[in-house]
Amino acid sequence: MKSWLILAFFGAISALLFAFYFYKTMKKKSEGTTTMIEIAQAIRDGARAYLRQQYRVVAIFFAVAFCVFLVFALILKIQNIWTPFVFITGGFFSGFSGFIGMKTATYASGRTAEASKISLNYGLQTAFRSGAVMGLSVVGLGLAIIGAWFVILSQAMNLPNSNIFYIHNYNELTSILIFFAIGASFQALFARVGGGIFTKAADVGADLVGKIESDIPEDDPRNPAVIADNVGDNVGDVAGMGADLYESFCGSILATSVLGTAAFIDTHHIMNSIILPMCLAGLGALCSIIGIFAVKTKESSSQKQLLMSLSRGVWLSSILVIISSYFLVNYLIPSDKSLSLWLAVITGLLVGIIIGEATEYFTSYQYKPTRNVAKQGLMGTSTLIIEGMSVGMVSTSIPVLTLGIGIIISFGLGSQWNWNDLANGLYGIGLAAVGMLSTLGITLATDAYGPIADNAGGIAQMSNLGDEVRERTDALDSLGNTTAATGKGFAIGSAALTAMVLLSAYIEEVKIALGRIGVDTMLIGNSFVETSTASIQQFVDFFNITLVNPRVLIGLFIGSMTTFVFCALTLKSVSRAAGKMVKEVRRQFKEHIGILEGTEKPEYGTCVLISTKAAQKEMILPSLLALIIPLIVGLSLGVAGVMGLLTGALTTGFTLAIMLNNSGAAWDNAKKFIESNKFGGKGSPAHKAAINGDTVGDPFKDTSGPSLNILIKLMSMVSIIFAGIVVSYSPILESLYDRTESTSQNKIIEQTTLSSELYEE
């Protein structure tokens, strides 16, 4: 029922209106002293300059990609003509949502520092509600544009069959819609990798020369890299994370819609299964808005109480989603399936919460793991780094087990415990992914809050605000480190579920591609099956997607290898860029002695320019890796090899990303714990060891780890793009089609002969 789309649009519009309200409310607050305003403006100018340069590069890529998709559609006939237009809007609005978040964050950081003069609660709410602008903008824009495209493409099904814009059925419609998520995924890759390299090049360079070599405090205005460091927080952790979760949000909705066309047969329920994920997301947006208003704290709150303040809002939103989604699912889905699919939604929601809580335990200095990392600082840098690595590795246990249990339960609920019913089981997993991301409006707000609080602390330090204000901003900053780590755990968990659903979306795209090249029937065993009506299980059998197939195994190994090579490339990129930053900071300290004495102003712009150029250059090779490998594997190993590739990248990438994210966060918060007058406090040997550990962890948690979220989804997206080329031109698949067509022709001859004999008798 298309009328139910009103709920999705209402949720989207409400999210955008409240995002605008929070933005205008923040802008009305005081930005502080003249010095604070100047520093905030420098950060804002640097962030705008970087995004302007990045968007120029990205615009060239999207222009080329648009032309390529037009060739695929008009000349090669392997894609629909709508595909290029859907793709380009996905990329545009992903970048636009990131820009909104970045702009808000650069205005909010100074105001958060100023608000912290009044009270801890006032500072918390200023930063958090400014972060909510990012969360609600991502949800509102994503849902509104998806809904608009669905309405437009539905109307195209009513065009004459001869029209090039005609769409044959809902299977084709949803396969076109998935290209919206593909466009968002490409934009997210550039935003995440480029932003991560920018921010960590500046951060590492500032720490190595400033805090370790020159023994000056963090965010000291005498450090030439300090503005670039603060700029990086906005372009990497706000714009980058926003684009990342925008893509996950849209991808989970659209991939689940694709599976809905395979899970249901009659037209009425196919329509409902397609719009159900959109409506669930609309409900989640409304519930997130309510949860945002529940976040507040007391002046004397500890870190644990501050975390509880944010958790209160997330839990309230989640409970409201659980209650309201029951009525929605019960109305749209047949009564024999509605209860089980509602429970699948709840399963995904709970999996996300558990992963977030587990991440908090392993990364917050309120708990033993991070405190043990800090304690190892008494022994030196080496033992502290070893302890942090071990914490990251053991922290993978709970998320992996939780995700595995969640997949089993949601699959069982979707298929009603019929393990052979892949279509309905995978639809259940898809709804679990949508359930996990349904409260994205508030969960992303807790993540975007972190960089705002971090910049507020930097501005307070550079503006020489009082100790009381600095204590409050330090408390908010430390909370932000934990919420950022929690957000990264949530992001990789949602990415894993989304990527798993995209595996099935890839099969659906292969089905459509086979129809376009004329493979109308498939021989599976001794039976013939129409390609257009074949189930996911029948495609698995047809392409022999099993672990005993060497092509699948080779694909698994290549997928696993790709995640490590990708991480190596991004880490090397940070290392090279940080090296340039170190040289520049040392040069300024050497040539301008007055900088350290406080009588001469550093050249901040030079460091911003170094990070900008390095990010644009260094992000190319990792990005090409994600684009090229799926095509090469598809052409050389066929569909079975691609499925192995995507599975290997998913399983290895998920685990590796958690380890990198949590190790980095544990090192960072161990440093914060020591700075709170533990184990000798600031300037002690333990503190210097923790700074080194934090420097190692910076690219772990802010570049390589988060970028893996994009990699495992983007490889699935790229495979979907090239599905038509793979089934058309892969040499391995030619013999399979020849055998199918030949056997099909023999069957027709045999049937004709038999009919003639019966007629003669």
Side-chain angles (χ1 to χ4, degrees), residues 259 263 337 340-341 343-348 351 402-433 497 500-501 504 536-537 540:
L259 292 175
K337 291 184 177 182
S340 59
L341 291 180
L343 292 174
V345 174
I346 296 176
T347 299
V351 166
T402 301
L403 187 72
I405 293 170
I407 288 172
I408 290 175
I409 292 175
S410 57
F411 184 96
L413 289 169
S415 65
Q416 298 188 316
W417 309 104
N418 176 9
W419 301 105
N420 293 320
D421 187 359
L422 286 180
N424 281 286
L426 290 169
Y427 187 68
I429 295 175
L431 287 180
L497 275 183
M500 185 168 183
V501 177
S504 305
I536 293 176
Q537 181 62 60
V540 169

Side-chain angles (χ1 to χ4, degrees), residues 459-708:
I459 291 173
Q461 174 70 34
M462 287 184 277
S463 303
N464 296 315
L465 300 184
D467 292 340
E468 185 182 19
V469 177
R470 188 59 178 151
E471 286 177 7
R472 290 169 181 165
T473 57
D474 280 348
L476 295 176
D477 183 15
S478 184
L479 174 65
N481 287 335
T482 302
T483 59
T486 303
K488 290 181 178 74
F490 176 82
I492 189 58
S494 63
L497 275 183
T498 303
M500 185 168 183
V501 177
L502 286 170
L503 290 174
S504 305
Y506 172 67
I507 292 293
E508 290 297 315
E509 187 65 27
V510 168
K511 176 196 292 188
I512 294 172
L514 287 174
R516 288 197 181 106
I517 65 173
V519 181
D520 299 322
T521 60
M522 300 186 299
L523 177 62
I524 303 174
N526 295 320
S527 303
F528 285 90
V529 177
E530 293 291 328
T531 302
S532 59
T533 58
S535 66
I536 293 176
Q537 181 62 60
Q538 287 170 327
F539 273 97
V540 169
D541 294 337
F542 180 66
F543 288 107
N544 191 23
I545 305 173
T546 63
L547 288 177
V548 295
N549 185 346
R551 293 170 193 153
V552 175
L553 286 174
I554 295 171
L556 281 168
F557 281 119
I558 295 175
S560 300
M561 172 272 294
T562 301
T563 60
F564 283 91
V565 173
F566 181 82
C567 283
L569 291 174
T570 52
L571 288 172
K572 280 179 174 289
S573 296
V574 171
S575 178
R576 285 191 293 266
K580 295 176 182 177
M581 189 66 67
V582 166
K583 289 181 180 179
E584 173 59 24
V585 176
R586 285 174 178 168
R587 182 194 68 81
Q588 291 197 33
F589 282 163
K590 183 179 179 180
E591 296 180 3
H592 303 278
I593 301 175
I595 291 177
L596 287 175
E597 296 175 352
T599 59
E600 193 172 355
K601 189 175 181 181
E603 299 172 12
Y604 298 124
T606 306
C607 293
V608 173
L609 185 61
I610 287 173
S611 276
T612 300
K613 289 183 176 179
Q616 300 306 308
K617 178 183 177 182
E618 297 287 353
M619 73 179 184
I620 295 174
L621 187 56
S623 302
L624 287 176
L625 190 73
L627 300 177
I628 294 173
I629 286 184
L631 177 60
I632 294 174
V633 170
L635 291 175
S636 58
L637 299 177
V639 174
V642 171
M643 291 295 284
L645 171 78
L646 301 181
T647 305
L650 168 59
T651 52
T652 309
F654 173 63
T655 311
L656 183 57
I658 292 173
M659 189 277 287
L660 293 171
N661 289 334
N662 291 352
S663 287
W667 282 318
D668 194 350
N669 280 333
K671 180 193 69 175
K672 294 291 184 184
F673 185 62
I674 293 172
E675 288 173 346
S676 63
N677 293 321
K678 300 295 190 299
F679 304 123
K682 291 183 178 180
S684 66
H687 185 228
K688 290 187 177 181
I691 291 172
N692 281 313
D694 180 35
T695 303
V696 173
D698 276 336
F700 274 37
K701 67 181 176 65
D702 292 326
T703 307
S704 298
S707 296
L708 282 171

Side-chain angles (χ1 to χ4, degrees), residues 198-488:
F198 182 104
T199 183
K200 291 306 107 179
D203 197 357
V204 172
D207 285 354
L208 288 177
V209 185
K211 288 193 289 186
I212 295 177
E213 293 183 8
S214 303
D215 200 26
I216 60 176
E218 185 171 6
D219 293 321
D220 193 295
R222 292 173 293 174
N223 194 325
V226 70
I227 295 296
D229 184 10
N230 284 277
V231 168
D233 291 334
N234 293 286
V235 300
D237 295 336
V238 178
M241 175 60 84
D244 179 0
L245 285 171
Y246 182 93
E247 185 269 339
S248 282
F249 179 72
C250 297
S252 65
I253 292 172
L254 297 172
T256 305
S257 296
V258 170
L259 292 175
T261 62
F264 294 88
I265 299 175
D266 59 286
T267 303
H268 172 73
H269 288 124
I270 284 178
M271 171 68 81
N272 285 1
S273 70
I274 292 172
I275 68 171
L276 175 59
M278 305 178 199
C279 295
L280 281 172
L283 266 182
L286 297 173
C287 296
S288 294
I289 293 169
I290 297 172
I292 289 168
F293 284 98
V295 174
K296 55 186 176 181
T297 192
K298 297 179 181 178
E299 181 59 31
S300 58
S301 295
S302 65
Q303 277 295 302
K304 192 169 185 179
Q305 290 170 324
L306 285 171
L307 284 169
M308 288 177 64
S309 300
L310 296 184
S311 297
R312 187 188 304 118
V314 174
W315 276 103
L316 176 60
S317 300
S318 301
I319 291 170
L320 291 174
V321 168
I322 290 172
I323 296 171
S324 57
S325 63
Y326 171 79
F327 299 99
L328 175 65
V329 176
N330 192 56
Y331 190 88
L332 288 177
I333 300 299
S335 57
D336 61 327
K337 291 184 177 182
S338 59
L339 179 60
S340 59
L341 291 180
W342 173 64
L343 292 174
V345 174
I346 296 176
T347 299
L349 196 58
L350 293 177
V351 166
I353 291 173
I354 292 171
I355 290 176
E357 294 294 324
T359 304
E360 179 185 320
Y361 172 75
F362 284 107
T363 60
S364 172
Y365 67 59
Q366 293 296 317
Y367 303 101
K368 282 186 176 181
T370 296
R371 290 192 174 195
N372 287 337
V373 175
K375 187 177 181 180
Q376 289 299 322
L378 295 171
M379 306 298 126
T381 300
S382 299
T383 52
L384 181 137
I385 290 177
I386 291 170
E387 183 72 17
M389 288 284 287
S390 67
V391 167
M393 289 178 180
V394 77
S395 72
T396 63
S397 55
I398 295 177
V400 169
L401 292 174
T402 301
L403 187 72
I405 293 170
I407 288 172
I408 290 175
I409 292 175
S410 57
F411 184 96
L413 289 169
S415 65
Q416 298 188 316
W417 309 104
N418 176 9
W419 301 105
N420 293 320
D421 187 359
L422 286 180
N424 281 286
L426 290 169
Y427 187 68
I429 295 175
L431 287 180
V434 175
M436 181 185 289
L437 287 162
S438 60
T439 57
L440 182 63
I442 187 169
T443 51
L444 182 52
T446 63
D447 196 308
Y449 150 87
I452 294 173
D454 190 359
N455 272 208
I459 291 173
Q461 174 70 34
M462 287 184 277
S463 303
N464 296 315
L465 300 184
D467 292 340
E468 185 182 19
V469 177
R470 188 59 178 151
E471 286 177 7
R472 290 169 181 165
T473 57
D474 280 348
L476 295 176
D477 183 15
S478 184
L479 174 65
N481 287 335
T482 302
T483 59
T486 303
K488 290 181 178 74

